[in-house]
Amino acid sequence: MEYLKLKNANRNRAQDQTLYAYKLFGPPEGFRIIMSIKLFTWILPIVALGGLVGWRYNEKKQAERELEQKSAAGRSAAPPVEIAEATSRAMIATLDAVGTLESPYRVQISSKTTGVIEYLEAREGDVVKKGQMLVRINPSDLQDQVLQQSANVASAKSRLAEARIGTEPTATGVQAQLRQQEAEVESAEADRNQVVQNHESQVAAAQAQVTDAQARVRQVQSSLKNAEAQYTRVKTLVDKGFLARQELETAEMKVEVEQSALEAARAQQKIAEEQVAIVRRKGQADITAAEAGLKRARASLSAAKANLAQTSAYRENIEALQASVRSSEAQMRQAQTRLAETSLRSSIDGIVTSREADPGALATPGAPILVVQHLDWLFLRASLPVEESKNVRIGQTAEIRFDALPNRVFEGKVTHINPAADLRSRQFEIQIRLDNASGEMRPGMYGQVAVLLRRIEAEVVVPREAVKTGPDGKASVMVINERGEAERREVTVGASDAEGVQVLSGVRFGERVVVLSFRPIQDGQKVRIGSEPEGKK
């Protein structure tokens, strides 16, 4: 411990001596050199870092000054614009709508009896005439029925003639008449059995048609459900801005088409069900008639068994035989009518637009085989807002443009106006007749309608592109003055058409207006007429 204290005392004494020597004579030369080198090593990095920071700062400020100079030059340059002169011309005020072409006469060719299609050559696009035979159903069964009914008529007349010849009843006559009436009873029973069999066959065929119609309704309901789901998805995307409004209109139109198809399928189902009821009623009537014939035959047989010598009984027999003749003749006429109905003819002049069956297929009552439409003239069905009903009248001219026939304008006349408006859409329907001698137009084509309302002699007309509408709903136009500067003017607009807008105030005839600018133009800014930027001409 004493050793450590002595050592520290000696070190402190040596340091004090060294400091005293520095004060008297200054530090040694080597020490000064070392201290200078250390000081230079510390200061050099600091100076270099400060120089680098200053250089980067000057570069940034120089770039900012160049960018400000370019921006100022861009703002001061006159932007190029496209212009047009305000003119005077006649404007046609129109009422625009959309519509669909339809045929005035659309006939479905269908069979009234069940049978196999034997002849069918007409196809879509074939021209047919009124009364032309288009379809023939195999008539063999009906021909047999006609022959059978003819034989029944001959037999009934024969029995009536024999009854009238016999003036005095004899045993032989009684026996012969009994045999004849027994044969009549057998024939009537056979007729009744045939009627029952035919009735069951027709009911089965009609019921099959109902089953097909029900399946069609279920199919269309499924398609409608899919279309409505698609509409909901598209509406959600449109509301979010992912799809254009046109996609929503297309989806909505598809829903309307599927709804129309569902209504048609349900109507077809109803027709098929009504056909079943008709077949049942007709079959029951035929069965009733056949049973009545059987009863008459049995009555005749009973009359034949009675004492034919009695005058009253003889007269009743004659009357019964006369009734039998009339009944047989009526049945023959029905069979002939059904036979004639196996040849299906067109009831109008037109063109075949749909073929739903082929030769060899089974035709059923009410099921369409061909569709014939009249195409010499068509009518376009369109809807207009109910507020415009006072401006539309029969005889007005309308111009129609079809997407399927571009660059063509067709003219027609308003021929029908529905006085009642639709409660949901608040629109009323008009029909426009269009001559179609050239055959260019087709039912189902979608057309844009412009109903011509009135003619206006406008003193100032500018292109549609020149008129801008602000957030406040006010219309304005950029006018180029004599100094080449743009002036923003509020204007009052009037009528408009596809090419221009009438200006009632704010612009004079002959003034130049901006229809297209390549960047926003400020009021009072110099502009340059032309479409090329400066330096690129």
Side-chain angles (χ1 to χ4, degrees):
M1 190 68 179
E2 292 294 333
Y3 171 76
L4 293 175
K5 291 181 178 179
L6 180 61
K7 185 178 179 179
N8 290 334
N10 292 334
R11 185 185 296 113
N12 292 335
R13 189 165 43 252
Q15 291 177 350
D16 292 339
Q17 292 175 357
T18 302
L19 292 175
Y20 180 74
Y22 284 173
K23 292 179 180 179
L24 291 178
F25 305 105
E29 185 65 27
F31 180 77
R32 288 198 299 270
I33 293 173
I34 291 171
M35 293 301 293
S36 299
I37 292 173
K38 289 183 177 180
L39 182 62
F40 180 76
T41 304
W42 295 341
I43 293 175
L44 181 61
I46 295 173
V47 172
L49 180 61
L52 180 61
V53 171
W55 176 75
R56 290 293 297 170
Y57 177 77
N58 290 334
E59 287 289 325
K60 183 177 180 181
K61 297 299 287 184
Q62 180 66 22
E64 291 177 353
R65 286 194 295 272
E66 291 179 356
L67 181 61
E68 289 179 356
Q69 291 174 359
K70 291 181 180 180
S71 300
R75 288 193 297 269
S76 61
V81 297
E82 295 289 340
I83 64 169
E85 286 191 2
T87 60
S88 297
R89 64 177 177 84
M91 299 187 68
I92 306 297
T94 62
L95 189 59
D96 298 330
V98 295
T100 305
L101 276 179
E102 296 183 14
S103 171
Y105 307 113
R106 183 178 184 274
V107 178
Q108 286 188 346
I109 307 298
S110 59
S111 175
K112 293 184 179 180
T113 60
T114 300
V116 177
I117 298 175
E118 184 178 67
Y119 170 84
L120 173 57
E121 293 187 354
R123 291 192 175 275
E124 292 86 344
D126 290 351
V127 178
V128 299
K129 297 295 182 181
K130 182 177 180 180
Q132 179 179 343
M133 199 270 288
L134 302 178
V135 183
R136 184 172 62 247
I137 308 300
N138 190 323
S140 57
D141 293 341
L142 295 175
Q143 287 173 345
D144 294 341
Q145 293 180 18
V146 169
L147 293 175
Q148 181 181 357
Q149 295 303 329
S150 298
N152 291 339
V153 170
S155 177
K157 288 181 177 180
S158 175
R159 289 192 298 271
L160 177 60
E162 290 177 358
R164 285 174 175 172
I165 292 173
T167 56
E168 294 182 358
T170 61
T172 304
V174 169
Q175 292 299 325
Q177 187 137 4
L178 284 175
R179 287 193 296 270
Q180 291 175 359
Q181 296 306 322
E182 288 172 351
E184 178 68 19
V185 170
E186 292 176 357
S187 177
E189 288 177 344
D191 290 343
R192 184 194 61 180
N193 295 336
Q194 181 67 35
V195 168
V196 172
Q197 183 178 358
N198 291 341
H199 170 64
E200 292 174 351
S201 175
Q202 292 174 357
V203 169
Q207 192 62 45
Q209 186 68 23
V210 171
T211 302
D212 293 342
Q214 291 173 343
R216 173 61 179 168
V217 169
R218 290 193 295 272
Q219 179 184 1
V220 176
Q221 286 176 336
S222 176
S223 299
L224 175 59
K225 184 176 180 182
N226 293 337
E228 289 174 342
Q230 179 67 16
Y231 172 80
T232 302
R233 290 194 295 271
V234 172
K235 186 176 186 300
T236 301
L237 294 177
V238 170
D239 292 340
K240 292 181 179 180
F242 296 132
L243 291 178
R245 188 73 182 177
Q246 184 179 1
E247 296 291 334
L248 181 60
E249 295 175 354
T250 302
E252 185 177 4
M253 183 177 294
K254 186 174 181 181
V255 172
E256 294 176 356
V257 169
E258 292 298 336
Q259 288 175 343
S260 299
L262 178 58
E263 292 177 1
R266 285 175 174 168
Q268 187 63 35
Q269 178 182 346
K270 184 176 180 181
I271 291 173
E273 292 172 348
E274 291 176 352
Q275 185 63 32
V276 171
I278 292 172
V279 169
R280 290 183 185 277
R281 290 195 297 271
K282 183 178 181 298
Q284 290 298 331
D286 292 341
I287 292 173
T288 302
E291 289 177 347
L294 178 59
K295 289 180 180 179
R296 287 192 296 270
R298 287 173 177 172
S300 300
L301 178 59
S302 298
K305 291 179 179 179
N307 189 358
L308 297 181
Q310 299 179 3
T311 306
S312 59
Y314 180 77
R315 287 196 300 266
E316 290 176 0
N317 183 49
I318 294 296
E319 292 175 357
L321 291 175
Q322 289 174 340
S324 178
V325 170
R326 290 193 296 268
S327 176
S328 298
E329 289 176 341
Q331 292 178 5
M332 184 181 69
R333 287 193 295 269
Q334 291 178 358
Q336 290 173 339
T337 300
R338 290 194 293 269
L339 178 61
E341 290 173 348
T342 59
S343 296
L344 308 183
R345 302 179 183 274
S346 174
S347 59
I348 62 171
D349 294 335
I351 295 178
V352 177
T353 59
S354 177
R355 172 170 162 161
E356 303 295 337
D358 293 309
L362 181 65
T364 56
I369 300 173
L370 294 174
V371 176
V372 179
Q373 298 192 57
H374 181 82
L375 301 183
D376 290 346
W377 65 271
L378 304 172
F379 67 85
L380 185 137
R381 193 189 301 271
S383 297
L384 297 173
V386 70
E387 294 80 8
E388 300 293 342
S389 59
K390 61 181 180 298
N391 297 323
V392 183
R393 63 186 182 277
I394 293 177
Q396 278 183 315
T397 301
E399 293 182 349
I400 298 93
R401 295 172 172 83
F402 297 103
D403 296 339
L405 299 173
N407 304 321
R408 299 286 305 278
V409 179
F410 298 88
E411 187 174 289
K413 297 290 185 181
V414 178
T415 57
H416 295 83
I417 299 176
N418 191 339
D422 186 89
L423 296 178
R424 292 174 297 179
S425 64
R426 301 290 297 167
Q427 293 194 337
F428 69 100
E429 186 180 89
I430 64 172
Q431 293 182 11
I432 302 168
R433 174 167 173 160
L434 296 170
D435 290 332
N436 191 31
S438 62
E440 294 178 287
M441 292 177 282
R442 293 287 185 269
M445 289 175 60
Y446 182 79
Q448 300 175 353
V449 184
V451 181
L452 308 184
L453 300 180
R454 59 189 179 277
R455 179 185 179 92
I456 300 174
E457 295 294 339
E459 296 182 359
V460 180
V461 179
V462 299
R464 282 180 173 269
E465 297 80 6
V467 181
K468 309 297 181 184
T469 303
D472 55 357
K474 295 181 179 180
S476 63
V477 173
M478 277 291 186
V479 180
I480 307 302
N481 59 22
E482 294 80 1
R483 299 184 300 276
E485 298 173 347
E487 295 182 7
R488 185 180 301 277
R489 298 184 190 173
E490 289 189 359
V491 296
T492 303
V493 298
S496 64
D497 57 18
E499 298 178 357
V501 178
Q502 180 189 19
V503 179
L504 302 177
S505 65
V507 178
R508 298 186 299 276
F509 173 79
E511 286 189 310
R512 300 177 298 172
V513 297
V514 176
V515 296
L516 177 64
S517 61
F518 296 91
R519 63 171 179 263
I521 302 174
Q522 303 297 324
D523 192 13
Q525 185 178 7
K526 275 277 191 180
V527 297
R528 177 166 50 86
I529 310 301
S531 59
E532 291 291 335
E534 289 187 13
K536 291 188 179 182
K537 284 191 174 181

